[in-house]
Amino acid sequence: MNKSHIFGYLLGLLIFVIGIPALMWLVSGRPFPYVPDSIILCVIAVLLAICGLALSIYSIVYMRIVGKGNPFDAYNHEVAPRTQNLMTQGPYRLCRNPMLVGIYIYDLGVLMWLWSLIPLVVFIVEVILLTMQVRSEEKRLEKNFGQDYLDYKKRVGRYF
């Protein structure tokens, strides 16, 4: 694994696993550390976070092994080497962006843990920005993989 792959993974970790949840906590006004009063809320939040991270990690590992690349592509600027193969199997048979779905599930766990409306704005902005990123990436994938990607796009939804 070369330095650009490692940089892409670290950048993703810093932004999506640490940065955005930290921003959600910051805008929530909750003290640090904060633990909700409801045990049920805690359990659901932790389960969502774990399942979301597991899906994202599985998708990243699958992309690295099968696609021979890194998922981090910032608004059509290659942050780390891109995949060499179109991803249509594994978690990519269920949706075209399982890493993001995993991050969204993880963030929903964070939102449940914080149980505050203000972090929801951060989440909505994240979804809007990442959807814009995905649309940009879809154009590149159409260019790189042509009809194979267009057929895949018809069969499999962007997020669901």
Side-chain angles (χ1 to χ4, degrees), residues 4-79:
S4 61
H5 277 284
I6 293 169
F7 175 74
Y9 296 129
L10 288 176
L11 194 56
L13 174 74
L14 289 172
I15 292 170
F16 299 110
V17 179
I18 298 169
I20 291 171
L23 180 59
M24 288 179 179
W25 163 74
L26 189 65
V27 301
S28 76
R30 300 284 191 208
F32 185 80
Y34 172 74
V35 178
D37 293 331
S38 168
I39 298 294
I40 293 172
L41 191 65
C42 287
V43 169
I44 293 170
V46 168
L47 285 175
L48 283 170
I50 290 170
C51 289
L53 283 177
L55 176 58
S56 286
I57 291 167
Y58 171 54
S59 302
I60 290 167
V61 169
Y62 190 87
M63 179 178 278
R64 174 75 179 120
I65 292 168
V66 176
K68 309 264 189 264
N70 188 296
F72 209 103
D73 191 84
Y75 291 91
N76 215 18
H77 290 51
E78 188 174 341
V79 176

Side-chain angles (χ1 to χ4, degrees), residues 29 39 51 56 97 114 129 134 147:
I39 298 294
C51 289
S56 286
N97 297 281
L114 295 171
L129 291 174
V134 165
Q147 192 60 46

Side-chain angles (χ1 to χ4, degrees), residues 86-156:
L86 180 61
M87 309 302 305
T88 61
Q89 297 301 311
Y92 297 88
R93 75 183 184 286
L94 304 173
C95 72
R96 295 193 312 264
N97 297 281
M99 277 176 272
L100 290 184
V101 171
I103 289 298
Y104 295 157
I105 294 168
Y106 169 71
D107 287 345
L108 288 173
V110 172
L111 285 170
M112 289 204 63
W113 185 273
L114 295 171
W115 202 253
S116 173
L117 284 178
I118 298 171
L120 183 60
V121 174
V122 173
F123 178 71
I124 291 169
V125 169
E126 174 189 31
V127 170
I128 290 168
L129 291 174
L130 289 176
T131 298
M132 290 169 46
Q133 155 59 28
V134 165
R135 287 184 177 155
S136 167
E137 188 175 276
E138 286 173 345
K139 290 176 186 169
R140 180 188 60 78
L141 290 168
E142 284 178 22
K143 182 179 169 187
N144 290 0
F145 297 108
Q147 192 60 46
D148 287 342
Y149 182 71
L150 293 173
D151 293 343
Y152 172 61
K153 216 170 140 177
K154 287 178 191 173
R155 287 190 325 271
V156 179

